[in-house]
Amino acid sequence: MAGRSRFTPDQQPSDAEGLLPADYDLADLYGAQSGDDEDPDDTAVLIPPIVLPTDRELADAALAVPLIARVVALARWVAPHRPVDEHGDLAPEDRATAARMLGAEDPDEEEIVEAMRAWALACDLDLVETGTTEDGSHIAIPGPDLPAVEAGDPAAVLGLWFDAAELVRELAAEAESVDPEVVEGDVRAAAEDPDGLAEVEDAHDQAAEILDEALHVLYEATAFAEPGAETVPLGVLAALLVVPDGQEPDEEMLGEITDLMVVLDPMLGDLAELGLVEHRPIDPELFEEDDQDEEGVDTDQPLTDEDAARFGTVRLTPLGQYAVREWLIADGYDAPLVGDLADRDGPALLRALAENGALLVEPEIKAWLAAREDPADAARDLLAGAKGRDVQSPVRRHYCLLALGELGDAAAPAVRETVDDPELGGLAREWLRARGADAEAPERSAALWRTVDAMAAALLLTAGESGRLPALVAELPVTDNPASYFGEVWRVPHPLTAEVLEAVGELHPDRKVAKEARRAAVKARSLRARG
């Protein structure tokens, strides 16, 4: 899959004009789905980890896709063999028979065409094989993978489905890039026109890139979404590809978003047929309605859910996540799964979480703990990984606390072993006392270390932009003599003491306290420089 890039729809269809009015508020389309706070950076290489069903569950979902079910049924139907022509196509009478076998009682032309689409896919996937016998007859027979597919073997089913997904993905981009003038005109003449062919190829490449970018964005949006909130309005998906981060769409961008929605809509519809996405297409009547049409969308009022859905919606299914992840990996991305860290030790788990950011941390921790038999040993392993005075150590200790919270009282014996540790002692006593355990309060030096460490973790995790760090700053136990308090803090031998004091100087609501914190930060930096 191609990396994300900005879409410039200079050569895209013009029939979308007016679908999104220039004065329209995209927030009405975004709703709760926009993900503004968590939109991944365009240049980021990191792909968020996702949770996938088991291969068995994915295989069952693939077999339940109507198109795949028709393909398998046709492969079963040809046994032991069926006559075909030299091109591998069924005779007209067999086409109607095949359509009836697939459920059409009295098949009309459209139902026969649909049956033949499934036949073509079955042949492309080698689930039906065609050839010539010794006597010159042309026949079709079931492919060698049919028994395993019918038995529901996960590897065979997912292999078949993924091959189909790659084919449909390619055909979707090809269909979108077809020039109607070439289709309606002289195809042979067009084929002899190098410039015309180059334009068609460029259009195909552009359509494929747009689809890949959209799938990449959907993959990330689904990973970040709360359960049940994975559906994305088509306008939001298009906006994420058009509008630079941190900007509001202007009139020109709204036009680009509209054009891109129209380009994506049929391609997503093709993918929906194979179960990669759940897709509600754009209501075609929107192209015909005037802005003030009585039955149209009143752009002076906020959109209802039903009105918003008329602009199209899309949701990446678990099968879609499976396919997009395979494509990302093939393109060199690291696309992890939640639980990939379960076989690592505690220090490696905490390092990975600290390095990769707070993406699905709790599910990752739960998967790691589920793979451990002895809670006390798991706690000891985590506490070992939480030690250190490097810059990342506060974040490791933060995640260690989260994991200890998941373990609960079973972690108490291991935690108690660290109450006198210079780096973990304050954390350990705080954790034990919060659970009503018999533990003395930490000494002054340990308490100050713990205060700085907790604020350093919040600073590293949020860059000071969330409410967590300001809340910690406001709760500092500063007395009426802040100079005395910060006179102790700046001497705390923590790797981020100076940075924490600077944050206090910026965020504390009391100007006197903030001033003393900034003075202390200067002293802490000087102390650190002297080693």
Side-chain angles (χ1 to χ4, degrees):
M1 297 182 68
R4 289 174 60 187
S5 65
R6 295 303 178 195
F7 169 66
T8 52
D10 297 335
Q11 300 177 347
Q12 297 308 319
S14 60
D15 59 349
E17 190 71 29
L19 180 59
L20 287 183
D23 60 349
Y24 206 78
D25 185 1
L26 267 181
D28 286 331
L29 276 178
Y30 279 38
Q33 307 290 338
S34 64
D36 287 344
D37 293 336
E38 298 184 277
D39 181 30
D41 186 276
D42 283 277
T43 61
V45 176
L46 184 66
I47 305 295
I50 63 169
V51 179
L52 277 182
T54 64
D55 284 357
R56 170 77 275 159
E57 292 170 319
L58 287 170
D60 289 345
L63 288 173
V65 173
L67 181 55
I68 294 296
R70 292 196 292 271
V71 165
V72 175
L74 284 171
R76 185 188 308 118
W77 172 72
V78 302
H81 59 80
R82 290 271 174 177
V84 294
D85 63 19
E86 66 272 20
H87 304 295
D89 294 328
L90 292 170
E93 60 273 15
D94 281 339
R95 297 179 186 182
T97 302
R100 280 192 291 270
M101 184 275 301
L102 293 176
E105 294 183 6
D106 185 15
D108 57 21
E109 183 178 351
E110 183 177 345
E111 289 169 326
I112 291 176
V113 169
E114 285 302 305
M116 291 307 94
R117 288 182 65 242
W119 174 265
L121 182 58
C123 294
D124 286 338
L125 297 175
D126 293 328
L127 208 60
V128 169
E129 294 186 344
T130 60
T132 306
T133 65
E134 292 182 358
D135 63 4
S137 300
H138 304 293
I139 62 170
I141 62 173
D145 293 336
L146 179 61
V149 170
E150 286 191 297
D153 176 69
V157 173
L158 287 177
L160 175 77
W161 181 88
F162 184 71
D163 287 345
E166 293 208 289
L167 183 61
V168 170
R169 170 191 176 209
E170 175 68 20
L171 291 176
E174 185 175 300
E176 175 57 36
S177 62
V178 168
D179 186 344
E181 294 181 2
V182 173
V183 174
E184 297 172 1
D186 187 343
V187 177
R188 184 176 301 175
E192 297 174 355
D193 177 10
D195 292 337
L197 282 177
E199 289 182 7
V200 171
E201 290 176 0
D202 288 345
H204 173 269
D205 291 343
Q206 185 183 37
E209 182 179 1
I210 291 168
L211 182 57
D212 282 357
E213 292 172 3
L215 290 173
H216 188 158
V217 170
L218 275 177
Y219 185 89
E220 294 183 349
T222 303
F224 286 116
E226 294 293 329
E230 299 92 348
T231 299
V232 178
L234 201 53
V236 173
L237 177 59
L240 289 172
L241 294 171
V242 170
V243 183
D245 292 334
Q247 292 189 24
E248 290 294 325
D250 56 25
E251 184 174 346
E252 180 180 355
M253 289 179 187
L254 284 172
E256 293 177 2
I257 291 168
T258 297
D259 286 341
L260 185 51
M261 290 167 62
V262 174
V263 170
L264 285 171
D265 194 51
M267 292 195 287
L268 294 172
D270 290 341
L271 299 186
E273 191 174 16
L274 203 64
L276 276 95
V277 298
E278 292 177 0
H279 171 241
R280 175 166 174 170
I282 298 172
D283 185 347
E285 293 184 3
L286 286 172
F287 297 110
E288 303 170 4
E289 294 172 351
D290 294 328
D291 292 346
Q292 301 302 319
D293 190 337
E294 193 174 291
E295 297 180 359
V297 177
D298 183 358
T299 59
D300 292 330
Q301 299 295 328
L303 280 180
T304 65
D305 290 343
E306 182 61 26
D307 282 339
R310 294 182 66 197
F311 289 91
T313 61
V314 61
R315 171 184 174 270
L316 196 65
T317 66
L319 276 173
Q321 287 182 292
Y322 169 81
V324 176
R325 179 173 180 267
E326 292 296 319
W327 291 326
L328 288 169
I329 291 172
D331 280 347
Y333 288 91
D334 180 15
L337 292 175
V338 171
D340 281 351
L341 303 176
D343 60 348
R344 303 190 189 183
D345 62 17
L349 169 72
L350 296 179
R351 280 198 305 273
L353 294 178
E355 291 168 359
N356 294 334
L359 300 176
L360 296 181
V361 165
E362 291 187 18
E364 195 70 67
I365 287 174
K366 288 179 179 179
W368 188 89
L369 293 175
R372 302 294 177 283
E373 295 182 359
D374 188 330
D377 284 347
R380 291 186 182 93
D381 202 17
L382 290 164
L383 288 162
K387 292 184 178 182
R389 299 197 178 192
D390 55 282
V391 172
Q392 283 188 340
S393 62
V395 178
R396 294 201 303 275
R397 283 184 281 274
H398 172 77
Y399 290 144
C400 178
L401 266 181
L402 292 181
L404 293 176
E406 290 289 337
L407 287 169
D409 293 341
V415 175
R416 194 172 291 278
E417 294 168 6
T418 66
V419 293
D420 294 323
D421 185 275
E423 295 156 7
L424 302 179
L427 176 153
R429 293 177 187 272
E430 173 187 296
W431 189 89
L432 291 167
R433 288 166 64 86
R435 282 155 182 76
D438 182 18
E440 294 182 2
E443 296 181 356
R444 181 68 171 172
S445 58
L448 288 173
W449 165 275
R450 175 63 191 142
T451 297
V452 172
D453 199 54
M455 295 180 66
L459 182 63
L460 291 170
L461 286 167
T462 68
E465 294 176 359
S466 77
R468 175 177 170 77
L469 184 59
L472 290 175
V473 169
E475 293 170 2
L476 279 174
V478 182
T479 63
D480 293 337
N481 188 358
S484 174
Y485 178 76
F486 291 118
E488 294 181 276
V489 174
W490 71 261
R491 293 180 172 87
V492 173
H494 190 283
L496 293 176
T497 297
E499 288 75 10
V500 165
L501 286 168
E502 287 173 349
V504 174
E506 293 177 3
L507 298 173
H508 203 285
D510 187 312
R511 293 178 62 183
K512 181 179 179 182
V513 172
K515 182 178 180 180
E516 289 298 335
R518 290 193 293 270
R519 288 180 176 177
V522 174
K523 295 178 181 178
R525 284 198 178 278
S526 177
L527 179 63
R528 188 164 63 192
R530 294 198 302 268

